[in-house]
Amino acid sequence: MKMKEKGVLAVVSGFSGAGKGTIVSKLINNYDGYALSISATTRAPREGEVDGVHYFYKEHEEFEKMIEQDELYEYARYLDNYYGTPKAFVREQIAAGKDVILEIDVQGALQIKKKYPGVLLVFVTPPSIEELSRRLRGRGTETEEQIQGRLDRARDEAVYMDEYDFILIVEDPETGTRKLHDLIQAVHCRPSMKKAFISDIRAQLDTERGE
């Protein structure tokens, strides 16, 4: 009888403008077996947002209780509101065989790495900083000062790139999406993910020898 395989937790980070949001969205839409991690937050829902779909909306006291009880893989506070990744949702999806995708910044990714040793960390980048600058300016939505701010942040993030398992160079969204899918599926072949299979194979071989 074939045993049900657990899913993989994959964390995707990268420079602003690198295209990580696009490839994560395409991954979820183009392939079966993926679940997008849902964060918890204390900010109020915006118009059209649904609890349990866009975020898990929490009161400040409730969120702080989650912190105290170690119910989050990572969390941060921005503009007086908390944001974090609940362990319960991730574990539920992984147990169901889903590969969970979490798009988050470098600081959050490194927090998760400490609490979930088997996590796959992928850093998304364009082929060059020149290309990153071109993409940022191509949006046409930000001032030059804002763009320089994003490039300054990229400089800070680049310090942590070697903490990641893979660097995914994205030249176009379609190729980037396929590469990300291939990386995640390759994790399923790690010996740590195949312990039950390895044990079963050894037992079968022992049976063949009459042991």
Side-chain angles (χ1 to χ4, degrees):
M1 180 177 177
K2 184 178 180 180
M3 299 185 67
K4 188 173 185 179
E5 186 172 299
K6 290 184 178 181
V8 169
L9 174 59
V11 172
V12 180
S13 307
F15 302 132
S16 177
K20 59 185 181 297
T22 299
I23 66 172
V24 165
S25 178
K26 284 182 173 294
L27 183 75
I28 299 295
N29 292 326
N30 294 355
Y31 296 94
D32 294 329
Y34 288 102
L36 188 64
S37 177
I38 301 173
S39 297
T41 183
T42 56
R43 78 158 173 79
R46 295 170 183 158
E47 185 176 354
E49 290 184 339
V50 178
D51 183 45
V53 176
H54 298 92
Y55 285 95
F56 295 113
Y57 297 98
K58 307 290 183 181
E59 298 295 331
H60 273 76
E61 288 185 5
E62 187 179 6
F63 197 104
E64 288 171 351
K65 186 176 180 180
M66 293 176 73
I67 295 173
E68 292 173 5
Q69 297 181 347
D70 195 27
E71 296 177 3
L72 300 163
Y73 281 122
E74 59 79 34
Y75 71 92
R77 189 166 184 169
Y78 300 105
L79 302 176
D80 296 326
N81 281 308
Y82 286 112
Y83 296 81
T85 304
K87 291 181 178 180
F89 179 80
V90 172
R91 288 171 173 170
E92 177 184 321
Q93 297 300 312
I94 286 175
K98 294 281 188 178
D99 293 327
V100 179
I101 310 301
L102 175 59
E103 183 187 342
I104 200 168
D105 65 15
V106 169
Q107 286 72 27
L110 297 182
Q111 285 186 55
I112 294 174
K113 187 176 182 179
K114 292 179 181 178
K115 293 189 175 184
Y116 197 105
V119 67
L120 172 68
L121 299 186
V122 180
F123 193 95
V124 176
T125 177
S128 66
I129 294 304
E130 181 182 10
E131 173 63 15
L132 179 63
S133 298
R134 187 192 68 78
R135 292 181 189 181
L136 289 170
R137 291 184 171 85
R139 292 172 170 178
T141 58
E142 297 177 311
T143 65
E144 185 61 28
E145 183 179 0
Q146 290 172 320
I147 290 171
Q148 287 301 320
R150 293 191 182 279
L151 292 173
D152 288 342
R153 183 176 180 183
R155 186 179 298 108
D156 294 336
E157 292 171 332
V159 174
Y160 301 98
M161 289 175 73
D162 57 2
E163 297 285 341
Y164 283 71
D165 298 301
F166 293 100
I167 303 300
L168 180 58
I169 300 172
V170 176
E171 297 187 359
D172 66 85
E174 295 299 332
T175 303
T177 302
R178 188 176 67 252
K179 286 182 177 179
L180 180 58
H181 172 69
D182 290 344
L183 286 176
I184 294 169
Q185 296 313 303
V187 174
H188 284 276
C189 297
R190 287 176 175 171
S192 59
M193 294 289 291
K194 296 292 187 184
K195 288 182 178 179
F197 175 79
I198 292 169
S199 178
D200 186 50
I201 286 294
R202 288 172 175 168
Q204 290 179 46
L205 288 169
D206 288 342
T207 300
E208 286 295 320
R209 293 178 61 186
E211 294 182 0

